[in-house]
Amino acid sequence: DAGITQSPRHKVTETGTPVTLRCHQTENHRYMYWYRQDPGHGLRLIHYSYGVKDTDKGEVSDGYSVSRSKTEDFLLTLESATSSQTSVYFCAISDPNSDGYTFGSGTRLTVV
Amino acid sequence: AQSVTQLGSHVSVSEGALVLLRCNYSSSVPPYLFWYVQYPNQGLQLLLKYTSAATLVKGINGFEAEFKKSETSFHLTKPSAHMSDAAEYFCAVTNRDDNIFFGQGTRLHILP
């Protein structure tokens, strides 16, 4: 997927446990994003990053935190997973010189 | 503020028939518009994009879209549907100074 990988691809976790999803890029793009995809809602932005240690909230950021200590890695953490966070999570990257986003293959997270 | 509305969460067409997926946008500044396709268990792939050049944009797999400012629309079309076109399609808008906003998606079903 054009130099962007997400891990894990699938995860089942219990309510109340912390979970970290990883997005790794080899494109050296400045911008990275985390979205969640739910039926009837399309893709909703959780958090995004515009550089190392520079992050900001999206429209559905409650219950999530992010970190970007290196250009290539953008981590999404659910501090205490809830069933409402069961979803498919997509990472995306973009560059100011491009006009679109490149997406990872997604992480399917189930909170039981 | 920017947003997109996709009319119809599900669209069914017969193989060989015209495909028309509707997208209307809202933007206070000249927009950049995109169509993405998502096949099952995959991330989103860019189909085509409008970035203020030609109003008729041709994309991959025989798809095209026309930007109509007067109608604030960016509908996606394909003259003849193929079984392999079955997927979910997302319209998106950005103005390059903001994040990208996605519609809720339209699932395209192809009838044999």
Side-chain angles (χ1 to χ4, degrees), chain B residues 23-76:
Chain B
C23 172
N24 288 90
Y25 70 90
S26 172
S27 178
S28 57
V29 297
Y32 286 10
L33 294 157
F34 308 84
W35 276 99
Y36 285 85
V37 60
Q38 184 181 32
Y39 298 102
N41 300 313
Q42 295 185 25
L44 277 69
Q45 301 173 29
L46 183 65
L47 261 182
L48 50 79
K49 61 186 178 185
Y50 166 77
T51 57
S52 74
T55 57
L56 182 62
V57 181
K58 294 187 183 299
I60 61 173
N61 301 337
F63 284 93
E64 62 183 37
E66 186 172 8
F67 172 68
K68 292 187 176 181
K69 184 178 179 181
S70 61
E71 299 177 7
T72 62
S73 69
F74 191 57
H75 302 331
L76 182 70

Side-chain angles (χ1 to χ4, degrees), chain B residues 6-14 16-24 35 62-66 68 71 73-82 85 89 106-110:
Chain B
Q6 292 183 239
L7 300 179
S9 57
H10 292 266
V11 170
S12 295
V13 301
S14 298
L18 171 71
V19 175
L20 171 61
L21 304 183
R22 299 176 186 273
C23 172
N24 288 90
W35 276 99
F63 284 93
E64 62 183 37
E66 186 172 8
K68 292 187 176 181
E71 299 177 7
S73 69
F74 191 57
H75 302 331
L76 182 70
T77 61
K78 181 175 181 178
S80 178
H82 191 273
D85 295 327
Y89 293 80
T106 298
R107 187 168 296 278
L108 177 63
H109 304 271
I110 309 298

Side-chain angles (χ1 to χ4, degrees), chain A residues 61-82:
Chain A
S61 60
D62 287 349
Y64 302 95
S65 62
V66 290
S67 66
R68 191 164 178 203
S69 59
K70 299 184 290 185
T71 298
E72 56 266 36
D73 290 326
F74 192 34
L75 304 181
L76 176 71
T77 297
L78 289 65
E79 301 292 346
S80 177
T82 68

Side-chain angles (χ1 to χ4, degrees), chain A residues 1-5 23-28 32 72 93 102-104:
Chain A
D1 274 337
I4 178 172
T5 56
C23 178
H24 178 79
Q25 61 146 329
T26 58
E27 304 296 313
N28 201 36
M32 299 185 76
E72 56 266 36
I93 59 175
T102 301
F103 285 83

Side-chain angles (χ1 to χ4, degrees), chain A residues 8 13 25 29-30 33 41 57-58 66 87 93 95-96 105 112:
Chain A
T13 192
Q25 61 146 329
H29 283 356
R30 178 180 171 192
Y33 309 82
H41 292 277
K57 296 179 179 180
V66 290
S87 187
I93 59 175
D95 185 272
S105 298
V112 298

